[in-house]
Amino acid sequence: MAKAKKITKNQIFRALGLKSKMKGANCGGEWFATSKDYLKTYSPTTGELLSTIEQTSPKDYDLVMKQAQAAFLEFRSMPAPLRGEIVRQVGEALRAKKDMLGALVSLEMGKIYTEGLGEVQEMIDICDFAVGMSRNLSGPTLQSERPKHRMMEQWHPLGVIGVISAFNFPVAVWAWNTALGWICGDSALWKPSSKTPLCAIACQNIVNEVFKANKLPEGISCVTVGSGRIVGEKLINDKNIPMVSFTGSTKMGKRIGGVVGERLGRTILELGGNNAVIISEKADLTGALASAFFGAVGTAGQRCTSTRRLIIQETVYDKFVKKLVANYKKVAIGDPLDPATLMGPLIDEGSVKDYENAIAAAKKQGGKVLYGGKVLKPFGAATFVQPTIIEIANKAEIVQHETFAPILYIMKYKKLPQAFKLHNDVPQGLSSAIYTDSVNEGEAFLSFLGSDCGIANINIGTSGAEIGGAFGGEKETGGGRESGSDAWKLYMRRQTNTINWGGEVHLAQGVEFKA
Ligand code: NAD
């Protein structure tokens, strides 16, 4: 069979309306920007300059915001199922561009093509989910204590929602938020990561076609490419934005939670993880190996749900680690658009520095490198690293931090309660897993005595969540939930109604008040 041809940058740019010079603000019409401040975006694989984008100025932001507010006032009047129909069409438009958008994710962010496609599939999945949900934005009817009264809850559109996203899921996080926001009647203003602006411009070009074809007002979907310092700060301080969904580091999340909280705005905080898998002696070790390998090496360790720690029962430790190291030796590292590649680059040289610093710190703190530790330069730029396994104690300072790179810390346990203690003994609480064939061990892990994370799995890894569940984590992961289940509620305002259909006035709690 003939080898599939690698998709080229020119093909991607042509298909998605990208150019070598662009402007970074858009509400649905022409792209514009007046800052004279230019952002250059590079391929993390080769270091090639991909495009130069004029960033959004504070004045440009104000124009975008005005448009988003006006659009909200119109869009909220559209019945939710009809908004769902628009989101259905967005899903269809994404299906039509899946190959090229997936390839752009690989080109600009560096994850391998199958993962780039998977990320676009997640966008399509959340659109499908949101379409159904648009007919079910329901609240309960409640029993009133007063005669001939009825109580109920309703959900109303919230306003212009702000979305600030991280570089590592440069398209899906936006879709998780906007697909739900739109069925809820909100307009959305997106500030993408400055490391992946092309992905944002491409997404906006795709939805613009859909909104235009449906003759909807400009401003329901808005993008402002710009720095965190200028556009990000403007957005989080903007009283016209009732809810900010922020995905990024815990350090930044603390600041954003503080600023938005100060003005009593709502936040969804999706921050860093420090995810572990417990591998019991009662586990299917073949499955555990496959999951741990994907969790730790996939996306070059640049997922919030990447497996960062393995807590392995001592009697299976040596056998398991030997197999894991053998797998690590076979990882094909290179161009993420090459189908033979299993691991692409890190996003930039700053991330490589973080990787090197973490390994040096681990060694100082008693860690032993069992595999990896080296920086590689297959294309000249120092953005590639070896996936790395380090044997170390959980209490070592470096293990307590999220290093956004393919470094896996491994440790032993004797008895399950000790494994649970090690598991929870980090500041973050995003994703977690246990590999075991024992019902009791599995149930204990899911119980209040077990994992303290927002996501807890049995016999699957920490990484690769489906959109149907609520996604997010506890502790320093920020407490936010987005995507499936009832996460839509965060994009609406709740109203409790009491209706007196009997005419007589009755006060609650039996209070008498008569002249
Ligand atoms: P980051 O915190 O460096 O940046 C995130 C976003 O914040 C970017 O868009 C950036 O431009 C913006 N920003 C920077 N300064 C700002 C400011 N002053 N005001 C407003 N916005 C500002 O994160 P990153 O390096 O892009 O992403 C990696 C991090 O994201 C990791 O910690 C990872 O775990 C986390 N993450 C979490 C989830 C989750 O769902 N929990 C998902 C993906 C990534």
Side-chain angles (χ1 to χ4, degrees), residues 164-169 173 176 191-195 226-236 246-253 255-256 269-273 302-305 308 347 402 404 430 471-473 477 482:
I164 302 179
S165 57
F167 78 85
N168 66 322
F169 274 89
V173 165
W176 285 3
K191 194 217 90 58
S193 165
S194 298
K195 295 174 183 175
S227 70
R229 200 172 38 84
I230 296 173
V231 176
E233 286 292 328
K234 231 175 131 77
L235 190 158
I236 61 177
F246 174 78
T247 303
S249 58
T250 294
K251 181 169 169 245
M252 196 50 68
R255 162 148 183 82
I256 285 164
L269 298 176
E270 299 282 348
L271 314 178
Q302 297 173 108
R303 285 191 187 216
C304 52
T305 52
R308 311 227 172 264
I347 186 68
E402 178 198 51
F404 223 52
L430 180 52
F471 182 89
T477 303
E482 58 191 14

Side-chain angles (χ1 to χ4, degrees), residues 208-226:
N208 279 351
E209 293 297 316
V210 175
F211 287 122
K212 243 183 240 160
N214 286 279
K215 299 192 172 42
L216 287 166
E218 290 178 5
I220 297 168
S221 179
C222 302
V223 171
T224 52
V225 172

Side-chain angles (χ1 to χ4, degrees), residues 440-456:
N440 288 357
E441 285 191 344
E443 286 289 340
F445 185 69
L446 301 190
S447 79
F448 58 93
L449 294 172
S451 166
D452 63 0
C453 290
I455 298 168

Side-chain angles (χ1 to χ4, degrees), residues 81-95 124 127-128 130-132 134 179 182-183 210:
L82 299 191
R83 298 194 296 253
E85 164 56 19
I86 304 299
V87 172
R88 188 192 67 74
Q89 293 177 34
V90 170
E92 289 298 302
L94 289 168
R95 278 186 173 90
I124 295 167
C127 287
D128 289 351
V131 176
S134 69
W182 289 333
I183 60 151
V210 175

Side-chain angles (χ1 to χ4, degrees), residues 122-181:
E122 249 184 286
M123 306 172 81
I124 295 167
D125 292 344
I126 192 73
C127 287
D128 289 351
F129 176 87
V131 176
M133 208 70 236
S134 69
R135 291 182 183 269
N136 192 26
L137 304 173
S138 57
T141 298
L142 304 151
Q143 299 301 322
S144 171
E145 67 191 45
R146 294 178 265 204
K148 296 189 177 168
H149 281 59
R150 184 168 69 83
M151 289 173 71
M152 65 177 187
E153 277 183 12
Q154 289 194 86
W155 293 90
H156 294 307
L158 188 63
V160 182
I161 58 163
V163 181
I164 302 179
S165 57
F167 78 85
N168 66 322
F169 274 89
V171 293
V173 165
W174 168 75
W176 285 3
N177 284 284
T178 50
L180 291 184

